[in-house]
Structure formats: C-alpha cells, structure tokens
C-alpha cells in the first residue's frame, strides 16, 4: 500500500516513515505543500497523511484542490489544532479523517487501515438536487445559480439532507449528525431549522424541496422540489 506523508516537521516525518515502513507500507515524504500537491497529482497513492500547517500551501488547500480535480484518495489530516471547528473545516474540505497532535501511533495506523478498507469511491465535490447546489468545501449554497446565505447550523442540516436525497431521515438522525450524538435538548429545534431552510431555499424560489413526512421525519426531494 502506497502512503504519501506530507509533514513539515522533519523529525515526525522520519518517525512516520520508519514506523509505517515497518508495518509494510510503501512511504513517500513531502515537507511542504507544493511538493505534496505535486506528488499527489503525479502518482497514485492508497492513502495520504496530510498536515494542515505547511509551508507554501496549507493542507486545507491541498485537500480542496485534489477534491475539485476529482481525486478522491483517502486523506487523514494531522493538526496541532484540536478545536471542533478546526476538525469540521478539515472534513468540510474533503478529508476523510482527522487526528490531533500529539497522537497515538497505534491509533494512526488503525485509522489508516480503516481508510484503506473503505477505499476511495468517486463522489461529487458539489452536492446537487435539481438546481439546488451545495459545495461542502467552499461552504456555499446556490439555488438556480443565485447564492443563498445560510448559518453554519442551517448549512449542516441542508448538507445532511442533501447527502440523503429522497430518503426519510428522522429528527433524531439530524440531531445526532448535525448537533451532537449526546444532545438532550428539545428535539423540536430541528423543526425550527427546517423552517429557516424552507424560507431561504424554497419559498423565495417557489419550490418545496424539503418535505415533512408525518410521523417519520423529513425528506429532501432529489429533483430540488
């Protein structure tokens, strides 16, 4: 299995090279963003370990660029930043997993093997439902080519629905994925945000993409309503 490690901390990069090589991986190193992007474009890898804070080009930009070019190689991001928004940013630009420094080497290898088992199925960089478009990397939403401004929570609800077009999802599903798996507040907050969404992506355009399925939850029409 070929692994590209893009890490500017040379001591850590060498340690990863030694450790992963001992695990049977074929490892290549890059110490700055431009070199990492060049290698990722020119060669075929099974997985990429990508630091966020890199010279010349950040890990965010590398990941976003590869995804925009249709390269869906599994990417595990490394960062000293451990805030939930930092992790969300990494996943939003297209990373498959995120690990904060310092990290357990055993956990790193386990996560790499999990990514390898999943592989890299092709998936759209931009989610669409009719003329409704959501770009997870750019954090933008358009309806009929017109940009629609959403709050982070509204964006999260819409993205969750658009990844499951024509499927019925419950309030609990939405709460667990967009709020928190341990959220114990009023579940009716989902209704409130669905209402906000309708007033922004449906009503002004004479559409009805977000549908209520009585007693079951919500469904976003694959044709955009």
């Amino acid at each position: 299995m070929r692994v590209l490690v893009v890490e500017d901390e040379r001591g850590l990069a060498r340690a990863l090279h030694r450790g992963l090589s001992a695990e049977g991986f074929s490892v290549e190193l890059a110490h700055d963003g431009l070199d990492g992007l060049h290698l990722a474009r020119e060669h075929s890898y099974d997985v990429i370990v990508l630091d966020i804070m890199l010279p010349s080009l950040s890990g965010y930009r590398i990941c976003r660029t590869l995804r925009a070019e249709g390269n869906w190689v599994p990417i595990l991001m490394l960062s000293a930043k451990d805030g939930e928004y930092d992790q969300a940013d990494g996943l939003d630009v297209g990373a498959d997993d995120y690990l904060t420094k310092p990290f357990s080497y055993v956990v790193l290898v386990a996560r790499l093997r999990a990514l390898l088992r999943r592989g890299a199925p092709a998936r759209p960089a931009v989610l669409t439902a009719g003329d409704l478009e959501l770009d997870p990397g750019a954090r933008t939403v358009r309806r009929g080519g017109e940009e629609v401004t959403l709050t982070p929570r509204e964006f999260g609800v819409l993205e969750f629905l658009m990844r499951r077009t024509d499927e019925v999802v419950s309030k609990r599903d939405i709460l667990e994925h967009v709020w928190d798996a341990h959220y114990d507040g009023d579940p009716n907050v989902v209704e409130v945000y669905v209402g906000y969404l309708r007033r922004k992506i449906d009503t002004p355009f004479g559409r009805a993409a977000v549908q209520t399925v009585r007693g079951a939850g919500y469904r976003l029409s694959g044709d955009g309503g």
Side-chain angles (χ1 to χ4, degrees):
M1 293 293 182
R2 296 189 69 191
V3 180
L4 172 62
V5 175
V6 188
E7 170 61 66
D8 64 322
E9 295 181 35
R10 292 178 180 266
L12 175 57
R14 288 193 297 270
L16 288 174
H17 188 283
R18 288 194 303 272
L20 293 174
S21 296
E23 295 283 342
F25 293 99
S26 174
V27 185
E28 291 186 57
L29 297 179
H31 298 298
D32 68 65
L34 287 177
D35 284 347
L37 179 59
H38 173 74
L39 288 173
R41 281 171 161 169
E42 295 298 317
H43 303 284
S44 177
Y45 296 98
D46 296 291
V47 66
I48 295 176
V49 178
L50 180 63
D51 190 27
I52 290 178
M53 304 300 290
L54 293 166
S56 72
L57 199 64
S58 73
Y60 290 139
R61 291 189 61 188
I62 293 172
C63 187
R64 183 182 291 114
T65 299
L66 292 175
R67 296 318 190 214
E69 294 174 351
N71 185 335
W72 294 102
V73 58
I75 294 176
L76 186 153
M77 278 192 162
L78 300 178
S79 178
K81 298 181 176 182
D82 61 356
E84 60 181 12
Y85 289 106
D86 299 305
Q87 296 187 38
D89 286 343
L91 298 174
D92 281 340
V93 297
D96 299 275
D97 203 351
Y98 188 106
L99 200 56
T100 57
K101 301 175 183 177
F103 52 82
S104 161
Y105 177 74
V106 173
V107 171
L108 171 71
V109 172
R111 291 193 178 187
L112 288 180
R113 294 199 186 282
L115 290 177
L116 289 167
R117 286 194 297 271
R118 276 186 262 166
R123 56 195 178 192
V126 177
L127 305 177
T128 61
D131 65 351
L132 179 63
E133 298 181 352
L134 181 148
D135 186 333
R139 305 287 292 178
T140 57
V141 173
R142 294 182 181 276
R143 171 69 101 169
E146 180 179 334
E147 187 163 353
V148 179
T149 301
L150 300 182
T151 66
R153 191 75 75 187
E154 291 165 355
F155 188 95
V157 173
L158 180 59
E159 181 178 3
F160 183 73
L161 292 172
M162 290 189 70
R163 290 190 182 278
R164 296 157 182 80
T165 53
D166 293 322
E167 297 179 19
V168 177
V169 295
S170 68
K171 287 183 184 178
R172 175 50 56 187
D173 288 336
I174 296 173
L175 284 171
E176 289 182 354
H177 287 83
V178 181
W179 272 260
D180 184 272
H182 305 290
Y183 177 81
D184 60 359
D186 186 351
N188 288 327
V189 69
V190 175
E191 292 181 21
V192 174
Y193 276 87
V194 167
Y196 293 159
L197 273 180
R198 284 175 170 148
R199 288 196 288 272
K200 290 185 176 183
I201 67 167
D202 278 347
T203 304
F205 303 93
R207 304 296 181 84
V210 184
Q211 305 165 354
T212 299
V213 181
R214 190 172 298 278
Y218 302 95
R219 175 175 55 218
L220 190 135
S221 175
D223 63 6

